[in-house]
Amino acid sequence: MTAAVRAEFRKFFTTRMWWGMAIAMFVAGAGLAVAFGFLLTSDSAGGPPGQEAPTGSAEQIANSVYTSGLAIGYLLTLTIGVMQIGSEYRHKTITSTFLSIPRRGRVMGAKVIALLGIGALYGLISLVGSVIAGSIVLNSRGFEAFPTSGVFRTLALSLLVLGLWALIGLGAGILIPNQVAALLISVGVAWIVEPIAGILLSLWDFGRENIVPYLPSAATSAMVNGVQQGGDNTAQPLAWWGGALVLAAYAAVLAGLGSWRTIRSDIS
């Protein structure tokens, strides 16, 4: 298993994509932390039409500032997850992979472990940028950079978030055979379809209370315990541990189904 995991890491880190994404994660984390730092500490901060301004404790403000780049981060790790398996099928290297390691379960286990590690690494890179830039902004605005120990829990959970989204991408990359289609569909659903569906479902009492909190992006937001948006049509988020369980369930189901299909299907 150790050799298989090492091979998965080598497949990823011998491409130019990894450092390009690392730079993007660092810049996005730092830039958005600065923007959110000024926005959330401004007296004139307002919300979208029909919703009240975001409010929260000092801990929630710090959490939101430090994890403001998470939305971009999980889209990138989702993409990495799709490409980690999609490129194998596209370039026919999956055949040599299974010839080198005939036990397919071991190969898929290695991919899962490697993607969790890659997601955590990118999360760390994003946090380095966001914590440095965000703490400077918070201090300059008269806020404590680390008001409670809960901020450190949120920083740790944000690493888990990116790893789980990479596993969601792995499942999508297997279940949608065409790599380009898998990328377009998975990113489109996560970035466009799901947020729009969340807004529309929030207008319906049953949807707002029983569906919206369990959507992947809502579970992600619940894990980081950021500032809360007010308003009559705002869904109440899950507890941080509830969000972690929901997102882990999405990752387990998609990665599990994808692995099961890979193990049982014919490879040519």
Side-chain angles (χ1 to χ4, degrees):
M1 177 61 84
T2 302
V5 174
R6 191 183 302 122
E8 293 300 325
F9 278 121
R10 190 176 297 121
K11 287 176 187 175
F12 182 75
F13 288 109
T14 50
T15 66
R16 296 177 181 177
M17 180 181 71
W18 85 268
W19 57 263
M21 285 194 170
I23 294 173
M25 293 286 282
F26 181 86
V27 172
L32 289 173
V34 171
F36 274 73
F38 281 109
L39 177 66
L40 296 177
T41 57
S42 171
D43 294 334
S44 59
Q51 292 187 323
E52 299 174 1
T55 58
S57 62
E59 176 188 321
Q60 289 175 313
I61 290 175
N63 288 343
S64 291
V65 170
Y66 297 147
T67 60
S68 54
L70 207 58
I72 293 178
Y74 71 64
L75 288 178
L76 290 179
T77 54
L78 176 71
T79 301
I80 291 171
V82 172
M83 296 182 67
Q84 192 74 355
I85 187 69
S87 59
E88 292 244 37
Y89 282 99
R90 183 179 184 184
H91 300 292
K92 310 296 183 185
T93 56
I94 192 69
T95 303
S96 57
T97 297
F98 285 142
L99 287 175
S100 302
I101 307 175
R103 293 183 178 179
R104 296 184 186 183
R106 181 172 296 180
V107 172
M108 297 311 298
K111 288 188 181 295
V112 168
I113 294 172
L115 283 173
L116 284 172
I118 291 169
L121 173 64
Y122 278 120
L124 197 59
I125 292 171
S126 176
L127 288 182
V128 169
S130 64
V131 170
I132 292 174
S135 60
I136 292 174
V137 174
L138 289 176
N139 281 323
S140 70
R141 306 284 286 181
F143 286 73
E144 289 187 56
F146 297 96
T148 68
S149 60
V151 176
F152 296 101
R153 182 190 66 200
T154 295
L155 297 182
L157 285 173
S158 66
L159 305 183
L160 176 63
V161 164
L162 297 186
L164 292 176
W165 274 94
L167 296 186
I168 292 174
L170 175 68
I174 298 172
L175 297 174
I176 305 173
N178 185 288
Q179 184 185 14
V180 176
L183 283 173
L184 292 176
I185 292 173
S186 57
V187 173
V189 169
W191 199 16
I192 300 174
V193 176
E194 196 213 301
I196 293 176
I199 293 173
L200 295 178
L201 287 169
S202 296
L203 303 176
W204 179 33
D205 290 344
F206 180 84
R208 181 171 62 249
E209 296 173 2
N210 299 287
I211 300 177
V212 173
Y214 299 94
L215 295 176
S217 61
T220 300
S221 298
M223 287 178 69
V224 301
N225 186 30
V227 295
Q228 303 296 321
Q229 192 77 47
D232 296 335
N233 295 328
T234 301
Q236 292 300 312
L238 301 171
W240 68 266
W241 55 268
L245 289 176
V246 170
L247 195 63
Y250 278 110
V253 169
L254 285 171
L257 285 175
S259 299
W260 177 78
R261 179 183 176 184
T262 301
I263 290 171
R264 294 181 62 87
S265 64
D266 293 335
I267 302 296
S268 60

